[in-house]
Amino acid sequence: MERWCKVVVVDDSAFMRMVIARMLNEDAEIEVIGTASNGLEALEVVKTLRPSVVTLDVEMPVMDGLIALERLMQECPTPVVMVSALTKGGAEVTLRALQLGAVDFIAKPSGSISLDAHKIRDELVAKVKAAARAKLRVLLTPPRRIVPTVSAVPNEWAIVVLAASTGGPATVRYVLSQLPPDLPAAVLLVQHMPVGFTKFFADNLNQVSALPVKEVQDGEVIRPQQVYLAPSGFHLLVERGGRLRLDQSPPLHGVRPAADKTLDSAAHIFGERCVGCVMTGMGSDGAIGLLTVRERGGRTLVQAPETCTIPSMPESALKLGAAQESVPLERLPQRLTQIIRAVVGAVNLIGERSG
């Protein structure tokens, strides 16, 4: 079998370079063709060897990972998987890296020099291969958040479920930055992330979103004009009475939270007032749940696959016949807003006629 996926490993620890290279080379389709010990060296190695993917550490001497990433995207665009310590600082830097163009990231199990790095082998291999197939796009930079005026809470409102995986953080950040503060809907957000990262992701999104973003607390009541982020390690379910429940049943499609669980429960409670949207990501999560939304009278759409970093999730939904529309990322927030207002308008009209 051809080793089609060529990788450069960048880490200031010789031990970690050896461990990561060994894990990757154990896969029959991956070949580590070079290494570098800092960002400046990495730029030269990548320009010379032209790999399929770069794994990039964050904290390095001479030139750190963020500066190297920014330079790399400008001078020699290449898919990058960040390798980051699972700490508060590591999470914040990793989210910044995803905004700068990194495709995905791996959390080191035990900090910067990890003795149990073998625990991430399967995830590392899968993410490197996915990154090699990723489409690098011009980043859509959201504006800085403008604090909105207080909007009147609508009498009728919809529920929106947004689902994303690989490539999702930058995509979600853009979409939320464009939604209006008076949106007559509550937004449930399912983004596949390692445990420990979603709290920082919510804080990051609050920098650009006019709708307040919070990590879900078990049992809280859904309110309109609020974004609820599913915490890593829990499925997010909607219950009767509009309450949110965090569920630790086994992962679905290998992930927890799984968007299928959220979409299915939201569709059964909200019916025609439910809007589902599946965006960039690996795998097929969201397809079956989106079909349930459609079958129960809700509205469904996907991010157009050609505008995704990884198109597998939207493609799965389209193949299943679950999506009514496929919308390019640039137009997705506007179209979501139009659909939500139309759904709420239809509910109001039915209420007036029945009254």
Side-chain angles (χ1 to χ4, degrees):
M1 184 179 294
E2 180 188 359
R3 291 180 178 265
W4 59 271
C5 184
K6 311 295 185 181
V7 182
V8 165
V9 174
V10 185
D11 199 297
D12 64 328
S13 163
F15 172 75
M16 284 305 299
R17 292 197 300 274
M18 177 190 70
V19 170
I20 293 172
R22 181 183 297 167
M23 287 191 293
L24 292 173
N25 280 325
E26 285 174 355
D27 188 90
E29 296 180 318
I30 299 176
E31 180 184 1
V32 175
I33 58 173
T35 62
S37 61
N38 61 64
L40 189 60
E41 184 182 345
L43 287 173
E44 297 306 315
V45 172
V46 171
K47 289 176 183 177
T48 301
L49 299 181
R50 300 285 174 165
S52 315
V53 182
V54 177
T55 69
L56 185 60
D57 189 20
V58 174
E59 297 180 3
M60 296 181 293
V62 184
M63 181 187 289
D64 68 26
L66 285 184
I67 296 174
L69 174 64
E70 197 164 15
R71 289 270 306 271
L72 191 62
M73 290 301 149
Q74 293 171 353
E75 300 173 20
C76 187
T78 306
V80 171
V81 175
M82 302 299 295
V83 182
S84 169
L86 187 54
T87 62
K88 180 179 186 293
E92 291 170 345
V93 170
T94 298
L95 291 169
R96 175 62 181 154
L98 295 172
Q99 290 169 223
L100 290 172
V103 173
D104 211 335
F105 69 97
I106 295 285
K108 292 181 183 178
S110 301
S112 57
I113 299 181
S114 177
L115 299 178
D116 53 358
H118 63 279
K119 294 179 181 177
I120 65 169
R121 180 193 175 278
D122 292 345
E123 183 186 9
L124 176 64
V125 167
K127 288 187 173 182
V128 164
K129 287 183 179 178
R133 298 185 175 98
K135 301 172 185 175
L136 294 182
R137 293 174 42 77
V138 176
L139 294 177
L140 297 170
T141 305
R144 291 187 64 82
R145 181 185 180 188
I146 300 174
V147 178
T149 55
V150 176
S151 301
V153 177
N155 292 324
E156 295 291 345
W157 46 278
I159 192 87
V160 182
V161 181
L162 302 180
S165 186
T166 311
T171 297
V172 167
R173 188 175 162 89
Y174 172 72
V175 170
L176 291 187
S177 76
Q178 305 298 304
L179 295 180
D182 62 346
L183 190 75
V187 180
L188 307 185
L189 172 57
V190 180
Q191 167 68 56
H192 300 159
M193 277 187 162
V195 173
F197 273 75
T198 41
K199 171 63 170 65
F200 304 114
F201 187 40
D203 294 342
N204 181 274
L205 292 174
N206 270 316
Q207 297 172 13
V208 298
S209 175
L211 299 170
V213 182
K214 63 175 304 207
E215 194 178 44
V216 172
Q217 299 295 314
D218 186 48
E220 67 181 301
V221 177
I222 305 171
R223 306 291 184 196
Q225 298 169 355
Q226 171 82 50
V227 180
Y228 298 91
L229 174 62
S232 302
F234 295 87
H235 296 304
L236 176 59
L237 306 179
V238 180
E239 292 187 337
R240 292 196 180 279
R243 288 192 180 273
L244 294 172
R245 289 295 176 193
L246 299 181
D247 172 67
Q248 282 196 297
S249 59
L252 181 63
H253 313 300
V255 295
R256 191 175 60 197
D260 273 335
K261 293 259 191 181
T262 307
L263 286 159
D264 181 81
S265 64
H268 279 85
I269 300 301
F270 281 84
E272 64 188 14
R273 288 193 293 143
C274 183
V275 178
C277 179
V278 173
M279 300 180 290
T280 179
M282 263 194 304
S284 61
D285 187 28
I288 294 173
L290 204 67
L291 184 61
T292 303
V293 173
R294 184 171 188 175
E295 289 174 344
R296 295 189 70 85
R299 297 288 295 272
T300 60
L301 65 163
V302 296
Q303 178 185 351
E306 65 271 17
T307 69
C308 293
T309 302
I310 302 287
S312 305
M313 281 172 48
E315 286 176 345
S316 296
L318 288 167
K319 185 176 181 180
L320 194 62
Q324 294 167 311
E325 299 182 40
S326 177
V327 183
L329 177 58
E330 292 81 357
R331 294 198 293 106
L332 194 55
Q334 178 186 15
R335 186 61 186 137
L336 270 170
T337 302
Q338 290 171 342
I339 289 172
I340 291 163
R341 295 197 190 283
V343 165
V344 173
V347 170
N348 284 329
L349 184 60
I350 291 171
E352 290 171 4
R353 287 176 175 173
S354 62

